[in-house]
């Protein structure tokens, strides 16, 4: 059953998706999660590709992006294993219809796909606390094909950080305003010289 899968989130993937959301605070943003199934019950998420901060629900544009992403990472033995989404409003903690629709689309690529929704409340509280859990909500598809929220790291251990210090590193990147350097597919389509892989982000 998909709900019994565990998702191990790598530090770079985690930081990149949060920085993408911070760069476009007044917009919804989205992207895909890259990784592989490392055994029968664990999905390793090693990277994230920021997609859009405008017109998130345009499936033809999305499909072109997904094909390009699959080709690039498929050559490295990885694939799209999920989708991430950050809502436009900081007080919106619901998984909306656009996120579910794109999640369904990604599910066709990878039947164990998950959706990670940024929890703005946890993100805002991060500097004040010492929480090691990702500031994300995990959703998986149940038997009736509905997206259902799973307990966080403090619950059923469905979503865990590969590196325990990921939130501390994230805070350092936020304080140094590293989010300004994140490039998504929107940026790349406006200027193809911009690197949607963000290869220099962590250098």
């Amino acid at each position: 059953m998909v709900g019994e899968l565990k998702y191990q989130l790598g530090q770079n993937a985690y930081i990149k998706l949060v920085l993408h959301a911070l760069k476009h605070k007044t917009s919804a943003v989205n992207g895909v999660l890259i990784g592989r199934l490392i055994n029968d019950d664990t999905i390793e998420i090693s990277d994230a590709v920021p997609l859009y901060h405008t017109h998130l629900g345009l499936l033809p544009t999305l499909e072109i992006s997904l094909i390009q992403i699959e080709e690039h990472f498929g050559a490295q033995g990885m694939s799209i294993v999920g989708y991430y989404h950050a809502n436009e409003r900081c007080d919106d903690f619901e998984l909306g219809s656009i996120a579910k629709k794109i999640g369904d689309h990604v599910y066709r690529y990878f039947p164990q796909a998950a959706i990670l929704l940024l929890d703005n409340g946890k993100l805002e509280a991060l500097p004040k606390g010492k929480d090691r859990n990702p500031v994300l909500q995990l959703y998986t598809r149940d038997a009736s094909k509905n997206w259902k929220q799973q307990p966080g790291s403090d619950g059923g251990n469905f979503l865990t950080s590969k590196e325990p210090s990921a939130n501390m590193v994230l805070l350092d990147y936020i304080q140094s305003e590293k989010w300004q350097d994140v490039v998504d597919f929107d940026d790349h389509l406006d200027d193809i010289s911009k690197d949607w892989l963000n290869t220099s982000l962590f250098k």
Side-chain angles (χ1 to χ4, degrees):
M1 184 179 167
V2 171
E4 294 171 350
L5 282 168
K6 294 180 181 179
Y7 297 84
Q8 189 180 71
L9 183 59
Q11 180 172 287
N12 284 4
Y14 175 52
I15 290 173
K16 195 186 295 184
L17 72 87
V18 176
L19 293 180
H20 184 212
L22 289 173
K23 183 175 182 179
H24 304 284
K25 282 185 177 180
T26 58
S27 306
V29 305
N30 67 358
V32 289
L33 307 168
I34 307 298
R36 57 168 67 94
L37 184 66
I38 54 174
N39 52 45
D40 290 340
D41 66 352
T42 303
I43 309 292
E44 182 182 62
I45 302 168
S46 54
D47 204 350
V49 178
L51 288 176
Y52 303 108
H53 59 272
T54 62
H55 310 301
L56 270 61
L58 288 177
L59 283 180
T61 314
L62 174 72
E63 187 61 35
I64 292 168
S65 304
L66 294 183
I67 291 168
Q68 195 170 342
I69 292 165
E70 271 288 302
E71 284 180 354
H72 176 84
F73 287 100
Q76 303 173 30
M78 293 188 287
S79 63
I80 295 170
V81 297
Y83 169 76
Y84 75 81
H85 191 96
N87 288 323
E88 181 177 354
R89 295 199 333 268
C90 289
D91 59 349
D92 185 356
F93 302 103
E94 297 296 317
L95 190 69
S97 58
I98 289 177
K100 290 175 183 176
K101 182 173 74 172
I102 299 176
D104 289 340
H105 198 71
V106 171
Y107 185 87
R108 297 197 333 233
Y109 279 79
F110 189 75
Q112 301 95 339
I115 296 177
L116 298 181
L117 180 68
L118 184 67
D119 188 321
N120 286 300
K122 287 183 180 178
L123 179 58
E124 286 181 9
L126 202 56
K128 306 178 188 78
K130 295 181 180 177
D131 194 348
R132 291 189 170 188
N133 297 328
V135 292
L136 299 162
Q137 298 172 14
L138 170 69
Y139 289 81
T140 56
R141 285 225 313 192
D142 60 19
S144 58
K145 297 184 179 179
N146 294 315
W147 290 98
K148 178 184 176 185
Q149 186 177 350
Q150 297 289 349
S153 302
D154 53 345
N157 279 330
F158 289 107
L159 177 66
T160 57
S161 292
K162 189 174 182 182
E163 295 88 358
S165 62
N167 277 339
M168 292 173 62
V169 178
L170 172 61
L171 283 172
D172 286 342
Y173 276 103
I174 292 172
Q175 287 163 4
S176 63
E177 300 187 348
K178 193 70 173 174
W179 41 265
Q180 295 185 67
D181 299 334
V182 175
V183 173
D184 62 15
F185 255 86
D186 264 337
D187 300 321
H188 175 71
L189 292 172
D190 286 339
D191 179 356
I192 59 169
S193 70
K194 292 186 176 179
D195 177 22
W196 58 269
L197 288 166
N198 290 280
T199 49
S200 61
L201 186 63
F202 299 109
K203 289 181 180 176

